[in-house]
Amino acid sequence: MIENLDDYWDYLTHPAHVRTIEFGASLLEDLVTYDTTDDPDPEIGEKIALLQEPFAKQPESDPLARELPSYKA
């Protein structure tokens, strides 16, 4: 379970997660991802988006964006 935003960042950037995405992207045609949370913070969506921003700004470094014909995060 991811307890906080630091844990979420560790998950996003963990080498095992990155390798899984790189491998899994080759098996998919389409993918839609989303994050769910029970955090009561009304700004949690913006905070999560900020963590994901480096990947969105450099899509060539994101294997999902690079490999899939259809990918929405």
Side-chain angles (χ1 to χ4, degrees), residues 21-57:
I21 290 172
E22 290 171 344
F23 174 76
S26 68
L27 303 174
L28 302 171
E29 289 183 25
D30 300 304
L31 178 67
V32 175
T33 63
Y34 59 91
D35 298 299
T36 59
T37 181
D38 60 358
D39 191 309
D41 181 350
E43 297 176 358
I44 194 66
E46 291 86 7
K47 292 175 182 177
I48 289 171
L50 285 174
L51 290 178
Q52 296 172 342
E53 193 171 272
F55 306 104
K57 285 187 174 180

